[in-house]
Amino acid sequence: MAAKRTGEKYDAIIEAAVKVIAENGYHNSQVSKIAREAGVADGTIYLYFKNKEDLLVSLFKVKMGEFTAGARHELKELQDSFAKLARLIYLHFNRLETDRYLALVLQIQLRQSETSIRQGIAGPLKLYFNIIEEVVSHGIESGAFKPDINRKLARQMIFGTMDEVATSWVMSSHNYKLTDQIEPVYYLLARALAQDGKVKSFSI
Amino acid sequence: MAAKRTGEKYDAIIEAAVKVIAENGYHNSQVSKIAREAGVADGTIYLYFKNKEDLLVSLFKVKMGEFTAGARHELKELQDSFAKLARLIYLHFNRLETDRYLALVLQIQLRQSETSIRQGIAGPLKLYFNIIEEVVSHGIESGAFKPDINRKLARQMIFGTMDEVATSWVMSSHNYKLTDQIEPVYYLLARALAQDGKVKSFSI
Amino acid sequence: MAAKRTGEKYDAIIEAAVKVIAENGYHNSQVSKIAREAGVADGTIYLYFKNKEDLLVSLFKVKMGEFTAGARHELKELQDSFAKLARLIYLHFNRLETDRYLALVLQIQLRQSETSIRQGIAGPLKLYFNIIEEVVSHGIESGAFKPDINRKLARQMIFGTMDEVATSWVMSSHNYKLTDQIEPVYYLLARALAQDGKVKSFSI
Amino acid sequence: MAAKRTGEKYDAIIEAAVKVIAENGYHNSQVSKIAREAGVADGTIYLYFKNKEDLLVSLFKVKMGEFTAGARHELKELQDSFAKLARLIYLHFNRLETDRYLALVLQIQLRQSETSIRQGIAGPLKLYFNIIEEVVSHGIESGAFKPDINRKLARQMIFGTMDEVATSWVMSSHNYKLTDQIEPVYYLLARALAQDGKVKSFSI
DNA sequence: CATGAATGAGACTTCATTCAT
DNA sequence: TATGAATGAAGTCTCATTCAT
């Protein structure tokens, strides 16, 4: 009755969903197609997920959760705010470039989902927003960033910029490297945030 | 057989679509509902639009076209690059705040559409991107912005930031004024682009 | 949106449902089968009925309504309570014998429906119960039936007996005439109800 | 392979089925729910019953069998036909009032089952019909009941009346006592059957 | 030009039953 | 004997689009 939230089949279904959605688009990814890709019966999906919506939200939670946990850990290691900003952009772009299926699903396909799914996605996304805002806060408190910057607005600029660059890259069919954009994006954002124009040189 | 691209019913259907989608969400906006709101029969929609996809793409084209034409005209009046940037942000946010139905449809609902519709949307959107890039180019060529800025990247930052700020505002149920964000967004973006940190004071 | 409750297709679908359910049984009567029998598309069913449940409840209402209206009218014509009782049994059995499909559906198949449908059926059935109780009341008040008879209980005996006899007949594959049971059933019930054993001779 | 027809788990499953069906309704009583209630695994059901249908038919057989055996025994003790009739009604109503779960399952839920199950039920029910007919026959042969009564018809009246009264009671949510109906039902039926209106006073 | 009744393809989900352990 | 994870067939309903009037 209650959905099992772990197990190798659970993982297999999540991965199959990413692949199927990436290849067929959100609106053409039937449960039966995902089941076939995962090598299980249609009904098995429902032993691990309450329904299709739960599967999609779980997909996002799992993938976003992995990324967020890793990012939070890596950023904590760094002391310098500019270094944190550079690393954030690196992690964001590198993650997407490393898993192009995931990039397609996160940047394009999942955004076509119904409002209810988007609401389920909101929670994990908020956690990522928090991480970005922590970078901004650290910069302000350490004197690296301008003190009068609105933290939420700064987060929106950072995320909005990275998201737009990533979406553009995904839609271009990946005919250039997303990671090549890390440095120029860094300088744009760093200058926007820096106290007195004192931007540290890019280094990850 | 060929769809009429004008007429008062054409306009009525477009406006009805905006209202219905804003009120019901993309996935709950059936052709019959739009027809009823427009005061026409279901079949009449198909005298003016090839199909539902054509209606939605047309909606976007019309609304975006109005905005783009006005924006291009207004920006041409201004000489200073910073003034152009400030005006761009003003126009973008003011447009959305003035027509909240449209804001909801453009920022949230239409993004849930199938890939084919998003492709149809790409054209009109490109025209807006061009306008933004023209502001950037003008800034670089006039010496106001840093010469080594990647113009496409700068456009992605500008659009990505405005878009994220606008989406966040729409999802917040409009409980604050979007136009209050014009000035702080201006300073963030201006600093990112300015040559030697020489940002002109905000003025629209 | 709202279901049309009249029209020749409405009637055709009701009749088709009776036939399909009689021939295939309740649990094997899919909407598509009913639509095919009615000569309409599956979707057309939903222009006339809110859903499958609504179709089945409507079927019962229409058929029971026709019968109830006719019965109430005919019984009003009669003055004598015993004559009313005899006529009631005649109408009940004759109706079922005349339309054997309907008999099968009402006596057997519809009773297999889910609780929600049975609840929808309760209303029209109550009207029939009222008619039976009116016959009993008339008998008591005219002095034909025993004055201390519990009216509800008498109705339950009358209906329960007729229902059981009818069900038994339907399940026997109609290898005898149900209308041959009118007279003997009349005498059983009349004796149960009569004041001082004064039962009038059977006559319809 | 062959199903075991005895054992404490056999009984536990039957009792669990009665409880689950009474509480959830026929169409919401899945095998897994019955298994959980019985404290066994889903698969274990199939060691004791051929399939779900077999379980439901067995439930009916067991419960009806217990009742029928007891009834036959008790009625044999009585010499007088009217006393037998009174006792029959008492046993029928008392059984249902004593076990309200069973009443709900027998009078309402099991009647929603597919035709195949109803056919399986027919056998055990026939045995009860025989007992009722024996009471009628005894009455006729002893001169207590009218000699020209159709025995099958009399049985249908007796059973149909008791069944209708019981169903009505179950559906009323038991807000009155079913056993209070024994005496008035007795008088109705006794008068219908009695020779020359000579009905014996009620006594159980 | 306009109508709106009719069409029919297509997908999510349930649940009785099996079988490897 | 007992388990319970896995199976997979099957049906209701929606809604974009058509076409006779």
Side-chain angles (χ1 to χ4, degrees), chain A residues 9-11 14 30 33 52 62 84-85 99 117 122 124 129-130 158 193 199:
Chain A
K9 290 216 167 137
Y10 180 86
D11 297 336
I14 294 270
Q30 298 81 355
K33 220 177 253 176
K52 188 181 182 182
V62 166
K84 282 175 186 279
L85 178 63
D99 191 344
I117 292 179
F129 286 173
N130 287 342
I158 296 170
L193 300 168
V199 172

Side-chain angles (χ1 to χ4, degrees), chain C residues 9 40-41 43-44 47-48:
Chain C
K9 290 216 168 138
V40 300
T44 303
L47 295 178
Y48 291 88

Side-chain angles (χ1 to χ4, degrees), chain A residues 81-82 84 133-146:
Chain A
S81 295
F82 288 104
K84 282 175 186 279
E133 288 192 30
E134 284 164 19
V135 171
V136 174
S137 292
H138 185 274
I140 292 172
E141 284 148 23
S142 70
F145 296 169
K146 281 181 75 75

Side-chain angles (χ1 to χ4, degrees), chain C residues 84-102:
Chain C
K84 282 174 187 278
L85 177 63
R87 182 65 61 92
L88 177 73
I89 302 166
Y90 162 78
L91 291 169
H92 191 117
F93 286 3
N94 187 59
R95 179 75 189 92
L96 295 177
E97 190 166 271
T98 303
D99 191 344
R100 301 187 170 207
Y101 273 157
L102 185 62

Side-chain angles (χ1 to χ4, degrees), chain B residues 179-204:
Chain B
T179 43
D180 283 346
Q181 308 285 22
I182 299 172
E183 185 170 340
V185 166
Y186 164 76
Y187 280 115
L188 277 175
L189 297 177
R191 276 202 301 275
L193 300 167
Q195 173 83 289
D196 306 325
K198 291 175 187 156
V199 171
K200 285 232 181 129
S201 284
F202 175 71
S203 150
I204 53 170

Side-chain angles (χ1 to χ4, degrees), chain A residues 78 82-84 86-87 183 186-187 200-204:
Chain A
L78 301 172
F82 288 104
K84 282 175 186 279
R87 182 66 61 93
E183 185 171 341
Y186 165 76
Y187 279 114
K200 286 233 179 127
S201 283
F202 175 70
S203 150
I204 54 168

